[in-house]
Amino acid sequence: MQTAYSKEELRVALAPLRGRRIVLVPTMGALHEGHASLLSQARELAGAEGCVVASVFLNPVQFDNAGDLASYPQTPLQDLETCDKCGVDVVFMPSPDTMYCSDRSIVLEETHLSTVICGASRPGHFAGVCLVVNKLFNLVQPTDAIFGKKDYQQLAIIRRMVRDLDIPVRIHGAEIVRGDDGLALSSRNVRLTPEHRAAAPAIRASLLAARAAYESGTAAEIVCEAVKQKLESITGVRVDYVELVDATTLHDVSTPHRLSLLAVAAWFGNVRLIDNIELSRS
Ligand code: PAF
């Protein structure tokens, strides 16, 4: 495995691999089993002849909250070990100064899918994601890239960016990886208090109950309210949103037989957790 800390090192590492399938897994580090699963899927997709590139970059531009950025876990040495174990060929680990010019002035804003759910409460977040992912696509020039479905809105926005800007990369969505208790794996989970860590699987449990209720005919508002009440009954939990939206447009469910998405974001103390579940009603 090679590690590139600069754009030039990345260019040199990738030069002999051009023409092969190159699968990119962008991450912000603090890698856990969920990332390991993305990396292993990338390895499988790339095959023996292809190449897997992982980026480990805590992107300051996508944080709308300075405290969240400052407390985001960083474990670079373990991340390198994880990448190595998962068969990554090249890790790109730039610093913010390497990645961005101090007088950068281009903004890349998706204006429809970004206005709802997480985008509504995190202004600028998805513009920061689009900017960094676009830069990674330009630097790595992957044939394929993999993103997890826990960040469902991010995945939808990246698909839209690729479509609207004609970026020649195939985007793959990977299923959410969960702990045995159902909690979606996230780098932020390590920041939960023991009490909140013990209570957090309630998110998944309430989404499963909501899916059963919705698919047997309960109205969307009632389903969402039940999830909200269940989570807000936990001490120290504040729900940011619980919304049922069309899984493609991320806006209101106007064609109920299409796939829908029930998405939730909630603060467990000062840690914001997100999760979602796909639903369909015939
Ligand atoms: O999902 C993430 O970890 C980040 O948003 C991403 C895609 C690596 C961009 O910084």
Side-chain angles (χ1 to χ4, degrees), residues 125-138:
H125 167 66
F126 288 115
V129 170
C130 284
L131 185 65
V132 81
V133 171
N134 203 283
K135 284 166 75 70
L136 290 168
F137 285 168
N138 288 332

Side-chain angles (χ1 to χ4, degrees), residues 26-28 35 57 59 62 125 129 132-133 147 151 154 158:
T27 81
M28 294 202 301
H35 295 109
F57 176 60
N59 177 32
Q62 70 187 70
H125 167 66
V129 170
V132 81
V133 171
F147 296 85
D151 297 292
Q154 168 173 281
I158 288 166

Side-chain angles (χ1 to χ4, degrees), residues 80-234:
L80 287 173
E81 269 175 38
T82 303
C83 288
D84 201 25
K85 273 198 207 128
C86 295
V88 171
D89 299 294
V90 180
V91 181
F92 181 43
M93 221 183 224
S95 68
D97 290 347
T98 301
M99 201 60 178
Y100 293 111
C101 295
S102 57
D103 61 348
R104 66 180 176 82
S105 52
I106 296 290
V107 174
L108 198 52
E109 194 167 4
E110 193 287 327
T111 56
H112 183 65
L113 302 172
S114 308
T115 57
V116 290
I117 48 178
C118 281
S121 46
R122 301 191 65 190
H125 167 66
F126 288 115
V129 170
C130 284
L131 185 65
V132 81
V133 171
N134 203 283
K135 284 166 75 70
L136 290 168
F137 285 168
N138 288 332
L139 291 163
V140 176
Q141 296 171 33
T143 53
D144 303 80
I146 305 187
F147 296 85
K149 284 193 186 176
K150 184 167 81 68
D151 297 292
Y152 204 98
Q153 187 173 17
Q154 168 173 281
L155 175 61
I157 291 168
I158 288 166
R159 286 192 198 281
R160 179 65 62 93
M161 176 176 79
V162 163
R163 186 200 74 178
D164 285 2
L165 299 183
D166 298 306
I167 303 174
V169 58
R170 282 180 292 268
I171 302 297
H172 305 264
E175 293 308 323
I176 300 176
V177 180
R178 301 179 179 280
D180 291 341
D181 57 9
L183 180 63
L185 298 191
S186 161
S187 303
R188 290 186 171 88
N189 291 354
V190 295
R191 291 175 43 217
L192 291 166
T193 63
E195 294 73 25
H196 280 154
R197 175 62 191 80
I203 302 176
R204 172 67 172 166
S206 62
L207 289 179
L208 286 171
R211 178 170 69 186
Y214 181 72
E215 293 187 350
S216 56
T218 308
E221 309 79 67
I222 293 175
V223 164
C224 292
E225 189 52 35
V227 173
K228 187 165 186 273
Q229 280 184 15
K230 164 101 181 147
L231 295 180
E232 288 196 332
S233 70
I234 302 166

